[in-house]
Amino acid sequence: MAEERRGSWFGFGFCGFGQALGSGRGRQVHSPEPLQTPGEDADVCRVSASWSYTAFVTRGGRLELSGSAGCAAGGCRDAWASEALLVVLRAGPGRGAGTELQAWAPGSALSGEPLWAHTVGPEAEGEDAPGGEPQAGALPLLPGARAYVSPRPPFYSPLAPELRARRLELGAEHALLLDEAGQVFSWGQGRHGQLGHGTLEAELEPRPLEALQGVPMAEVAAGGWHSVCVSETGDIYIWGWNESGQLALPSRSLAEVGKTAAGEASGPKEDGSDVRTAEGESGGLAPFIAIQPFPALLDLPPGTDAVKASCGSRHTAVVTRTGELYTWGWGKYGQLGHEDTSSLDRPRRVEYFVDKRLQVRAVSCGPWNTYVYAVEKAEG
């Protein structure tokens, strides 16, 4: 078996709080730069970014926070960052204490007592992915997949026994769950269409997405108020709020700065989308889609299959099977990686990784920035 090539993490976007993002120079990084990893030669396997700080976990079990919250701790297997809560999976206190899930205030420096703690049984701890590739951690889905953590009380939320979860993602106001059969469930607030049920109503309990029935999914991602999933065959489905083009659909805000069209009109749409129209350059009506409450199929260039996805507050990133990265949506801080601050309402390949002959393996979006893991392409 060929030896797995070791790669590097790259970052771009907002770093106004001193996050270790690329060079860290200034308040934003517009093009991918090698990450300022914690410690010399640190082998980072997990990256979880909140708005003002980022959590890095190394394969050696070291946790480093960078930004508005800063600290270091050992014995950590995983971490999940939000503005209100930092959750870590780490060795419990005392010999033989096992693994413990702990919730901390981000500024606590992990000293004193955690806000909440839960002991994890050995049978639920899980293993790293084959080949040692960095993958999105199980958090906020708890090991054992019977519950998840939330940034607001109650921190511990059990899942119904019939929900055999393999992935769970939290947006600003909603949750997405991918079960073992590839079915997607959503719940929480739905006022931006982020639940994908065709309405703007809230759902208190996990509800399956009927529009995706019979299409097994391999990946889910939740943004601020939008959602993405990737099918087992590499198709992308996307829904929710499109304020900055994060659904790769024409948006009003981009049109107003001359990115798509100018002028105003209005028009209905049968599937319930909130649609507005503008007079395009050719004189015809081009639709503005503010909210897409049903999953919509998104096309990348022909022959391009997606394998991973991640969402920021208002931007989206997708990794293809051939190791290319596509981004779109809000780009004010350079979080799209295209060397400028333009926002986009259609997918665009990040050329940096192509030019450097790098294959992208993983992507993790913070609200206003993006972290990417890439390896050198094999020769020949």
Side-chain angles (χ1 to χ4, degrees):
M1 181 181 294
E3 183 179 352
E4 174 64 25
R5 288 164 286 151
R6 181 173 170 179
S8 301
W9 283 92
F10 299 80
F12 42 100
F14 179 72
C15 55
F17 290 91
Q19 299 97 316
L21 187 66
S23 66
R25 294 188 295 269
R27 296 179 57 85
Q28 49 193 275
V29 175
H30 295 171
S31 181
E33 294 183 1
L35 195 65
Q36 286 188 337
T37 51
E40 195 171 329
D41 236 8
D43 189 5
V44 174
C45 62
R46 299 283 190 267
V47 175
S48 180
S50 185
W51 176 58
S52 66
Y53 75 100
T54 305
F56 305 95
V57 181
T58 71
R59 295 194 193 285
R62 184 171 177 81
L63 168 69
E64 294 266 1
L65 301 186
S66 172
S68 65
C71 77
C76 296
R77 294 189 53 170
D78 198 3
W80 177 72
S82 75
E83 284 300 292
L85 201 68
L86 169 68
V87 179
V88 296
L89 187 64
R90 67 191 303 201
R95 180 176 296 180
T99 303
E100 193 171 72
L101 190 76
Q102 302 173 350
W104 297 84
S108 67
L110 275 70
S111 61
E113 294 294 324
L115 300 173
W116 172 83
H118 175 76
T119 301
V120 177
E123 73 282 355
E125 291 186 14
E127 298 293 338
D128 288 339
E133 288 183 21
Q135 303 288 323
L139 295 175
L141 181 66
L142 269 63
R146 298 186 180 94
Y148 66 98
V149 291
S150 169
R152 290 174 286 274
F155 302 131
Y156 177 97
S157 300
L159 291 166
E162 64 269 17
L163 288 175
R164 308 285 295 178
R166 78 182 201 230
R167 181 79 178 260
L168 187 141
E169 291 279 313
L170 295 180
E173 299 176 327
H174 73 296
L176 292 180
L177 182 147
L178 178 67
D179 74 3
E180 290 182 348
Q183 188 172 19
V184 179
F185 296 75
S186 67
W187 67 99
Q189 289 294 328
R191 56 186 173 177
H192 292 93
Q194 65 264 51
L195 299 185
H197 301 303
T199 73
L200 307 185
E201 302 297 321
E203 295 287 343
L204 297 180
E205 300 294 334
R207 176 182 169 187
L209 267 71
E210 296 179 3
L212 299 178
Q213 292 281 357
V215 184
M217 296 295 157
E219 179 92 354
V220 293
W225 298 271
H226 72 293
S227 304
V228 176
C229 61
V230 179
S231 74
E232 291 183 353
T233 58
D235 292 324
I236 303 168
Y237 295 84
I238 191 165
W239 63 95
W241 197 37
N242 190 52
E243 188 273 346
S244 297
Q246 59 263 51
L247 304 190
L249 296 170
S251 78
R252 185 179 185 86
S253 64
L254 268 64
E256 287 175 347
V257 293
K259 296 299 180 183
T260 47
E264 293 189 32
S266 62
K269 192 173 182 182
E270 294 180 358
D271 66 0
S273 299
D274 179 0
V275 176
R276 301 169 186 178
T277 59
E279 185 177 348
E281 295 178 358
S282 64
L285 292 180
F288 289 145
I289 300 178
I291 293 174
Q292 171 66 40
F294 282 112
L297 182 62
L298 171 64
D299 290 326
L300 291 179
T304 303
D305 295 331
V307 292
K308 298 183 185 299
S310 187
C311 299
S313 175
R314 286 179 280 165
H315 75 288
T316 309
V318 164
V319 180
T320 70
R321 204 175 303 279
T322 55
E324 295 178 328
L325 178 70
Y326 285 81
T327 61
W328 62 93
W330 192 42
K332 179 178 180 179
Y333 293 98
Q335 60 264 52
L336 302 185
H338 300 306
E339 299 186 351
D340 57 25
T341 57
S342 298
S343 297
L344 300 170
D345 61 8
R346 64 194 66 185
R348 179 178 169 189
R349 189 173 68 179
V350 179
E351 296 299 330
Y352 174 91
F353 299 103
V354 178
D355 295 342
K356 298 291 185 181
R357 292 189 53 77
L358 295 171
Q359 284 187 325
V360 175
R361 296 290 183 85
V363 61
S364 179
C365 293
W368 295 0
N369 51 36
T370 306
Y371 294 88
V372 173
Y373 181 78
V375 302
E376 291 185 2
K377 289 185 177 180
E379 297 296 332

